[in-house]
Amino acid sequence: MSLGLIGLGRMGGNMRERWHAAGIDVVGYDVNPDVSDATDLADLVGRLEAPRTVWLMLPVQFIDGTLEQLLPLLAEGDVVVDGGNSKYTDDQRRAAAAAEHGVRFVDCGVSGGVWGRADGYALMVGGEDEVVAGLMPYFEALKPAGEYGFVHAGPVGAGHFSKMVHNGIEYAMMQAYAEGWELLEATDLVTDVPEVFRSWREGSVVKSWLLDLIDNALTADPDLSEIRGYAEDSGEGRWTVQAGIDLGVPTPAISSSLYARFTSRQDDSPAMKMVAALRNQFGGHAVLPEDD
Amino acid sequence: MSLGLIGLGRMGGNMRERWHAAGIDVVGYDVNPDVSDATDLADLVGRLEAPRTVWLMLPVQFIDGTLEQLLPLLAEGDVVVDGGNSKYTDDQRRAAAAAEHGVRFVDCGVSGGVWGRADGYALMVGGEDEVVAGLMPYFEALKPAGEYGFVHAGPVGAGHFSKMVHNGIEYAMMQAYAEGWELLEATDLVTDVPEVFRSWREGSVVKSWLLDLIDNALTADPDLSEIRGYAEDSGEGRWTVQAGIDLGVPTPAISSSLYARFTSRQDDSPAMKMVAALRNQFGGHAVLPEDD
Amino acid sequence: MSLGLIGLGRMGGNMRERWHAAGIDVVGYDVNPDVSDATDLADLVGRLEAPRTVWLMLPVQFIDGTLEQLLPLLAEGDVVVDGGNSKYTDDQRRAAAAAEHGVRFVDCGVSGGVWGRADGYALMVGGEDEVVAGLMPYFEALKPAGEYGFVHAGPVGAGHFSKMVHNGIEYAMMQAYAEGWELLEATDLVTDVPEVFRSWREGSVVKSWLLDLIDNALTADPDLSEIRGYAEDSGEGRWTVQAGIDLGVPTPAISSSLYARFTSRQDDSPAMKMVAALRNQFGGHAVLPEDD
Amino acid sequence: MSLGLIGLGRMGGNMRERWHAAGIDVVGYDVNPDVSDATDLADLVGRLEAPRTVWLMLPVQFIDGTLEQLLPLLAEGDVVVDGGNSKYTDDQRRAAAAAEHGVRFVDCGVSGGVWGRADGYALMVGGEDEVVAGLMPYFEALKPAGEYGFVHAGPVGAGHFSKMVHNGIEYAMMQAYAEGWELLEATDLVTDVPEVFRSWREGSVVKSWLLDLIDNALTADPDLSEIRGYAEDSGEGRWTVQAGIDLGVPTPAISSSLYARFTSRQDDSPAMKMVAALRNQFGGHAVLPEDD
């Protein structure tokens, strides 16, 4: 059993190891020749027996360009899986482009980060029933050992939609713990904040895997003094809020979480300049100079 | 080893069983004579050997009245533990009142709900070191079997402060999952929403005990069609937001969660009446009659 | 001086009267023949002297179809103005389509609602300098009499972007007053809420035109008892939040306002069903049946 | 007609001038002897004819101490007005303290800032009907010339409650404009942001006094480059959110506005440290060092 894998970065590289361990022969391709098995896409396709399965594990900006080169190399009956963090609204268009070459398209959201290699990845899959059924050996090799961690969520697009929502939930859960941590840090009453978080790992309502990671982080740096309060956001938090707007679903907690990240990346808040200017205008309240 | 326990409702009753199982002799008192061991507070105090430990497991509105009766019955060296969901700002006042009788006061936030009897309760404790040390057998009997689930968070008040923050985090985590669920329900793409949540129980970043409970709930009622979108709030979510205001800590996700509950209890939103009225005033947009 | 006007609904009809009053000859077309001057688009174009100006005042969903029919009828040097509430991201595409016919495109956000006919409309315009300059007589006829009410905000798209932000601000201002009104209604302390709002019309920091309209609304219905708390939203609030997400600009107050409208249109909140289900799962808290 | 005035800062000093202009004899006292008429409170009381009216215009932290000294100096039938930004929950307690001396207490929220001296102040008054009626000459001298600007909102406390809500609304209105300004600054499409705001002063739905002040501010500093994005908050925004929590009224827009100010005063966000730490833990995402 073989699999073509395009993209051998942190995620792709780790996933390759789980497939190897399951006895699946992975032919990998990456722009970095040091980690590539194949010299180019044509070489990769040539090394796979038909019907082929090619799994993309790429940053979103490279999906369309890669498909444009890849699809003409494939044949009727081949399958392409997009395992990256693509926007769900792109999936059906890509499936249609694949269909023009007789190629079936499946979208698969993959969660688990750097822990997936050891613990298995949670997989959220969108695609036709029979195509998904044929891919099960690849999914089985990636997913955790237990009964959970895999879902065929619906037709093409459903996998990335589910993964997007998963990440939106993740944003708000992290914000929840972060607000709680800031409160505990701010009070004089609580004298050992890391120990409070640690204690919640059993018996509490808020016990979770993220909480276990908080314990790790606070064990290494009890007041996070070495880390700046600066958080990037990948596309999925933004898309979750946009999906809420499109569907008329209020997402106040997820939106708050996204906006807190936006604000964390500003040296100075333009909006708060305006508020300061207005307070000065109507109340004579002092403003701070910008170079203060 | 004995303990006086005042309040034998759902929480107190279950906790009594864990203490019994640990060989602690519990003398219970409740306004409901069917579950009481003692006939009144004086009887309860009389049945305990000095130095006594009396644990209150009462709704917040009954704490002050109970202390007023109880403290004169106690003696120098006795200890009172408030295990209820009291507001942290009341603890130091109550400790001072107890001190006037030579009684030491400890606050203990208890998490675990209906699952605590079997799995153990997470305990967050505030009080003086030596008093807390003396209470460890009682705490050990309640907490889960593992290494977590107990914290001595600081001086009097620190336990209830920590429990309050715990509940604030819990509000926002529940809101996070709830927003995600509403999104998944709203899209046509995802055809098996319960299965998506179930799949996240392993390998995902959002795995948690609350997620396990979501699986239970969706197994029983896959689209929650039997449950009304109506959520009460206990005091702790409100107090968390207030504490943020007092400490200058922004809590947008927790506040959103609290406000969503407020709104869920309104038949009609007064604020939205005003928005509708204004849209009609400036744009001639139709309003819906109240009895629509 | 003449103008072709496509769309004679509430906005278009009122604007026609201001143009008439300014001595501009308006040839109107609408799908409703009772208010149309021209029988169809070809007739409308035929009645205008070159170079023609055609102003669209249409719901967004009709813009592309109308342009598809209209542009081939126009000639080099003609100008099309989109005065509707179009999304700014569509403007440059439409300008390019117009340019293929030698037609110049200008976008114009129009504010003022039902009051614009008497008081003048605030206009926010995007387009090339010389094209906008040539349209000034039409703008002058629409705008209020004073020194304000018109801005050439930038190139094509800048007019609708500015109008979109205007409406986003409007959402949050309305929400601000609405929250204040709900607070005043909720307390027992304040015995004459309409009079409080009325008093703010002079001397206060919150005096505004919207406040004047609140006074009108509360004079007609002092507790808004006849109006349901149900608010539609047009596209512009949604687009403002989306623009914030695209630009990395946090818009918490505008987002809150949008979400409050979403919620107002739900009979029951799916998210709150999930919160209720979870509270029941972990705490044994009662849920209300859906048909309660 | 005479009035005792305690507190001659920016607000008190300007108000004195409006009373003088109305022919009211003001005896002022301030801790700053340069602006005081009276040498101390006893001197101030001695210079007033009974029944006396004494108006406090003091920062909230000095009200209780001042009343403690002042009330024993007053006599049956005298009236004390608290014109400061006191918390409404303190009013009834202070009225009760005054009543023990036979003194009547009135609370008066005063809006208008530095513009009040010229334009008049908006007044929101709480107290008994007959006491308020007797104070009308003082209120008439302060309020704007037109028909608005004064309200007797209810019993003691209603004035400060109304003023608190007024300020809460003000917070969210300022945030609304500020978010809009940040959006307009962030896009490349709009080339003259100050002119966009200026244009809205007529014909738009968002025209207001605050908008006029924005025009002033942007005329002086078109991109607010000299002002830091740092905004203090007085108590009233916080109290508005607290009142919402106490009354079960959701205030998402006002809360957002308050939290944006909190965040503007943080060099680094503790909450975002935690989010960054978690992203690093589960995804291996880089964190920025604190001293970056």
Side-chain angles (χ1 to χ4, degrees):
Chain A
M1 186 154 209
S2 69
L3 177 73
L5 174 61
I6 302 176
L8 299 165
R10 187 164 46 199
M11 287 292 285
N14 283 344
M15 290 160 71
R16 177 164 59 171
E17 301 200 22
R18 282 188 76 89
W19 279 314
H20 277 163
I24 293 170
D25 181 29
V26 176
V27 184
Y29 173 74
D30 194 274
V31 288
N32 174 4
D34 295 348
V35 296
S36 269
D37 305 311
T39 54
D40 57 21
L41 293 185
D43 181 36
L44 176 128
V45 171
R47 290 169 176 236
L48 298 169
E49 262 179 72
R52 300 169 194 87
T53 299
V54 182
W55 187 296
L56 308 186
M57 210 64 212
L58 294 167
V60 288
Q61 62 271 31
F62 300 125
I63 303 286
D64 280 322
T66 301
L67 283 176
E68 206 171 325
Q69 287 180 57
L70 176 66
L71 289 173
L73 301 170
L74 296 178
E76 179 87 25
D78 290 349
V79 175
V80 170
V81 181
D82 177 6
N85 281 328
S86 300
K87 193 170 180 179
Y88 73 97
T89 51
D90 289 323
D91 288 323
Q92 297 201 345
R93 174 177 60 74
R94 288 169 182 160
E100 287 176 17
H101 297 270
V103 173
R104 267 87 59 94
F105 181 92
V106 165
D107 58 294
C108 177
V110 179
S111 178
V114 295
W115 300 76
R117 179 173 159 187
D119 297 348
Y121 297 93
L123 307 176
M124 293 144 257
V125 176
E128 295 164 45
D129 286 355
E130 93 178 358
V131 187
V132 172
L135 295 169
M136 286 309 298
Y138 303 111
F139 297 140
E140 288 289 346
L142 287 185
K143 71 175 283 296
E147 64 179 302
Y148 307 114
F150 172 85
V151 64
H152 179 193
V156 167
H160 281 140
F161 190 96
S162 299
K163 176 59 163 51
M164 175 192 78
V165 170
H166 166 279
N167 282 32
I169 292 170
E170 172 195 309
Y171 271 55
M173 287 176 68
M174 290 166 70
Q175 180 71 21
Y177 289 118
E179 292 179 7
W181 186 71
E182 185 166 336
L183 282 165
L184 288 168
E185 285 283 304
T187 183
D188 291 333
L189 268 179
V190 174
T191 50
D192 191 345
V193 175
E195 202 55 48
V196 172
F197 274 88
R198 192 166 295 129
S199 77
W200 292 339
R201 292 183 66 177
E202 285 179 76
S204 84
V205 174
V206 303
K207 61 191 172 191
S208 73
W209 186 65
L210 281 168
L211 182 67
D212 298 343
L213 297 184
I214 289 175
D215 186 7
N216 290 358
L218 293 177
T219 297
D221 181 3
D223 54 4
L224 302 182
S225 60
E226 294 167 23
I227 294 178
R228 192 161 150 197
Y230 178 102
E232 295 285 353
D233 72 283
S234 59
E236 285 150 319
R238 299 183 184 215
W239 302 335
T240 306
V241 176
Q242 287 173 333
I245 291 172
D246 291 339
L247 294 165
V249 170
T251 58
I254 297 173
S255 299
S256 296
S257 314
L258 180 66
Y259 297 158
R261 295 192 185 189
F262 286 176
T263 302
S264 80
R265 302 200 296 265
Q266 297 182 326
D267 279 334
D268 199 12
S269 161
M272 287 303 105
K273 284 170 175 274
M274 177 57 84
V275 169
L278 274 173
R279 295 185 79 236
N280 176 259
Q281 285 286 330
F282 72 70
H285 302 289
V287 296
L288 295 190
E290 182 50 271
D291 55 349
D292 189 60
Chain B
M1 188 154 206
S2 68
L3 177 73
L5 174 60
I6 303 175
L8 298 166
R10 187 165 47 196
M11 287 293 285
N14 283 343
M15 290 161 70
R16 175 163 61 169
E17 300 201 21
R18 282 189 76 88
W19 279 313
H20 278 162
I24 294 170
D25 181 29
V26 176
V27 182
Y29 172 75
D30 195 272
V31 288
N32 174 3
D34 294 348
V35 296
S36 269
D37 305 311
T39 54
D40 57 22
L41 293 184
D43 181 36
L44 176 127
V45 170
R47 290 168 175 236
L48 299 170
E49 264 179 69
R52 301 171 193 86
T53 299
V54 181
W55 187 295
L56 309 186
M57 209 64 211
L58 293 167
V60 287
Q61 62 270 31
F62 300 125
I63 302 287
D64 278 322
T66 302
L67 284 177
E68 208 171 323
Q69 289 180 57
L70 175 66
L71 290 173
L73 301 170
L74 296 178
E76 179 89 25
D78 289 349
V79 176
V80 169
V81 182
D82 177 6
N85 281 328
S86 300
K87 193 170 182 180
Y88 73 96
T89 50
D90 289 324
D91 287 323
Q92 297 200 348
R93 172 176 61 73
R94 288 170 182 159
E100 287 175 18
H101 296 270
V103 173
R104 268 89 57 93
F105 181 91
V106 164
D107 57 295
C108 178
V110 179
S111 177
V114 293
W115 299 75
R117 177 173 160 188
D119 298 347
Y121 296 92
L123 306 176
M124 293 144 259
V125 176
E128 293 165 48
D129 286 354
E130 91 177 1
V131 187
V132 172
L135 295 168
M136 286 311 297
Y138 304 111
F139 297 140
E140 289 289 345
L142 287 184
K143 71 175 283 295
E147 64 179 303
Y148 308 114
F150 172 83
V151 64
H152 179 192
V156 167
H160 281 139
F161 191 96
S162 300
K163 176 57 162 52
M164 172 192 80
V165 170
H166 167 279
N167 282 32
I169 293 171
E170 172 195 309
Y171 272 54
M173 287 177 69
M174 290 166 70
Q175 180 72 19
Y177 289 118
E179 293 180 7
W181 186 73
E182 184 166 338
L183 283 165
L184 288 167
E185 284 284 305
T187 183
D188 291 332
L189 268 179
V190 173
T191 51
D192 191 345
V193 175
E195 201 55 48
V196 172
F197 273 88
R198 192 166 296 128
S199 77
W200 292 339
R201 293 182 64 175
E202 284 180 75
S204 84
V205 174
V206 302
K207 60 192 172 189
S208 73
W209 185 66
L210 280 169
L211 182 67
D212 298 343
L213 297 185
I214 289 175
D215 186 8
N216 290 358
L218 294 178
T219 297
D221 180 3
D223 53 3
L224 303 182
S225 60
E226 292 167 22
I227 294 177
R228 191 160 152 199
Y230 178 102
E232 294 287 352
D233 72 283
S234 59
E236 285 151 316
R238 300 183 183 218
W239 302 336
T240 306
V241 176
Q242 286 173 333
I245 290 172
D246 292 340
L247 294 164
V249 170
T251 58
I254 297 172
S255 299
S256 295
S257 314
L258 180 65
Y259 297 158
R261 295 193 184 187
F262 286 176
T263 302
S264 81
R265 302 201 295 266
Q266 297 182 325
D267 278 333
D268 199 12
S269 162
M272 287 302 106
K273 284 171 176 273
M274 177 56 82
V275 169
L278 273 173
R279 294 185 79 236
N280 176 258
Q281 284 286 331
F282 71 71
H285 301 288
V287 296
L288 296 190
E290 183 51 89
D291 55 349
D292 189 61
Chain C
M1 187 154 209
S2 68
L3 177 73
L5 174 61
I6 302 175
L8 299 165
R10 187 165 47 196
M11 285 293 284
N14 284 344
M15 290 161 72
R16 176 161 63 169
E17 299 202 24
R18 281 189 76 89
W19 279 315
H20 277 162
I24 293 170
D25 183 28
V26 177
V27 184
Y29 174 73
D30 194 273
V31 288
N32 173 4
D34 294 348
V35 296
S36 270
D37 304 313
T39 53
D40 57 21
L41 292 185
D43 181 36
L44 175 129
V45 170
R47 289 168 177 239
L48 298 170
E49 262 178 72
R52 300 171 194 84
T53 300
V54 181
W55 186 296
L56 309 186
M57 210 64 213
L58 294 167
V60 289
Q61 63 270 32
F62 300 125
I63 303 285
D64 279 323
T66 302
L67 284 177
E68 206 171 323
Q69 288 179 55
L70 175 67
L71 289 173
L73 301 169
L74 296 178
E76 178 90 26
D78 290 349
V79 175
V80 169
V81 182
D82 177 6
N85 281 330
S86 300
K87 193 169 181 181
Y88 73 98
T89 50
D90 290 323
D91 288 323
Q92 297 202 348
R93 173 176 60 75
R94 287 168 183 163
E100 287 176 18
H101 296 270
V103 173
R104 266 88 58 95
F105 181 91
V106 165
D107 58 294
C108 178
V110 179
S111 177
V114 294
W115 300 75
R117 178 173 160 188
D119 297 348
Y121 295 93
L123 306 175
M124 292 143 259
V125 176
E128 295 166 46
D129 286 356
E130 93 178 358
V131 186
V132 172
L135 295 169
M136 286 310 298
Y138 304 111
F139 296 141
E140 289 289 345
L142 288 185
K143 72 177 281 296
E147 63 178 304
Y148 307 114
F150 172 84
V151 63
H152 179 193
V156 167
H160 281 139
F161 190 96
S162 299
K163 176 57 162 52
M164 173 192 79
V165 170
H166 167 279
N167 282 33
I169 293 171
E170 172 195 309
Y171 271 54
M173 287 176 68
M174 290 165 70
Q175 180 72 19
Y177 289 118
E179 292 178 8
W181 186 72
E182 185 166 337
L183 282 164
L184 288 167
E185 284 283 306
T187 183
D188 291 333
L189 268 179
V190 173
T191 50
D192 190 345
V193 176
E195 200 57 47
V196 172
F197 273 88
R198 192 166 294 128
S199 77
W200 291 340
R201 293 184 64 176
E202 284 179 76
S204 84
V205 174
V206 302
K207 62 191 171 190
S208 73
W209 185 66
L210 280 168
L211 183 66
D212 298 344
L213 297 184
I214 289 174
D215 186 7
N216 290 358
L218 294 178
T219 298
D221 181 4
D223 54 3
L224 303 182
S225 60
E226 293 167 23
I227 294 178
R228 190 161 150 198
Y230 179 102
E232 294 285 353
D233 71 284
S234 59
E236 286 150 317
R238 299 184 184 216
W239 302 336
T240 305
V241 176
Q242 287 173 332
I245 290 171
D246 292 339
L247 293 164
V249 170
T251 58
I254 298 174
S255 299
S256 296
S257 313
L258 180 65
Y259 297 158
R261 295 192 185 188
F262 286 176
T263 303
S264 81
R265 302 201 296 266
Q266 298 182 325
D267 279 334
D268 198 13
S269 161
M272 287 303 105
K273 283 170 177 272
M274 177 56 83
V275 169
L278 274 173
R279 295 185 79 236
N280 176 259
Q281 285 286 331
F282 71 71
H285 302 289
V287 297
L288 295 190
E290 182 52 270
D291 55 348
D292 190 61
Chain D
M1 187 154 210
S2 69
L3 177 73
L5 174 60
I6 302 176
L8 299 165
R10 188 166 46 197
M11 286 294 284
N14 283 342
M15 289 161 70
R16 175 163 61 168
E17 300 201 23
R18 281 189 77 89
W19 279 314
H20 278 164
I24 293 169
D25 182 29
V26 176
V27 183
Y29 173 75
D30 194 272
V31 287
N32 174 3
D34 294 348
V35 296
S36 268
D37 304 312
T39 53
D40 58 20
L41 293 185
D43 181 34
L44 176 127
V45 170
R47 290 169 177 236
L48 299 169
E49 265 178 69
R52 301 171 195 84
T53 300
V54 182
W55 186 295
L56 308 187
M57 209 65 212
L58 294 167
V60 288
Q61 64 270 32
F62 300 124
I63 302 286
D64 279 322
T66 301
L67 284 176
E68 206 171 324
Q69 288 180 56
L70 176 67
L71 289 173
L73 301 170
L74 296 178
E76 178 89 23
D78 291 348
V79 175
V80 169
V81 182
D82 177 6
N85 281 328
S86 300
K87 193 170 182 180
Y88 74 96
T89 50
D90 289 323
D91 288 323
Q92 297 200 347
R93 172 176 60 76
R94 288 170 182 161
E100 288 176 17
H101 297 270
V103 173
R104 267 89 58 94
F105 181 91
V106 165
D107 57 296
C108 178
V110 179
S111 177
V114 294
W115 299 76
R117 177 173 160 189
D119 297 347
Y121 297 92
L123 306 175
M124 292 143 258
V125 176
E128 294 164 47
D129 286 354
E130 94 180 356
V131 187
V132 172
L135 295 169
M136 285 310 297
Y138 304 111
F139 296 141
E140 289 289 346
L142 287 185
K143 72 175 281 295
E147 63 179 302
Y148 308 114
F150 172 84
V151 64
H152 179 193
V156 168
H160 281 140
F161 190 96
S162 299
K163 177 58 163 51
M164 174 193 78
V165 171
H166 167 279
N167 281 32
I169 293 171
E170 173 196 308
Y171 271 55
M173 287 176 69
M174 290 166 71
Q175 180 72 19
Y177 288 119
E179 292 179 7
W181 186 72
E182 185 165 336
L183 282 165
L184 288 168
E185 284 283 305
T187 183
D188 292 332
L189 268 178
V190 174
T191 51
D192 191 346
V193 174
E195 200 57 46
V196 171
F197 273 88
R198 192 167 294 128
S199 77
W200 291 340
R201 294 183 63 177
E202 285 180 74
S204 84
V205 173
V206 302
K207 60 191 173 191
S208 73
W209 186 66
L210 280 168
L211 182 66
D212 299 343
L213 297 183
I214 289 175
D215 187 8
N216 290 357
L218 293 178
T219 298
D221 181 2
D223 54 4
L224 302 182
S225 60
E226 294 167 22
I227 294 177
R228 192 161 150 198
Y230 178 102
E232 294 285 354
D233 72 282
S234 59
E236 285 150 317
R238 298 182 185 218
W239 302 335
T240 306
V241 176
Q242 286 172 334
I245 290 172
D246 292 339
L247 294 164
V249 170
T251 58
I254 297 172
S255 299
S256 295
S257 313
L258 180 66
Y259 297 157
R261 295 191 184 190
F262 286 177
T263 302
S264 81
R265 302 200 297 265
Q266 297 181 325
D267 279 333
D268 199 12
S269 161
M272 287 303 106
K273 284 171 177 271
M274 178 55 84
V275 170
L278 274 173
R279 295 185 79 237
N280 176 258
Q281 285 287 331
F282 70 72
H285 301 289
V287 297
L288 295 190
E290 182 50 273
D291 56 347
D292 189 60

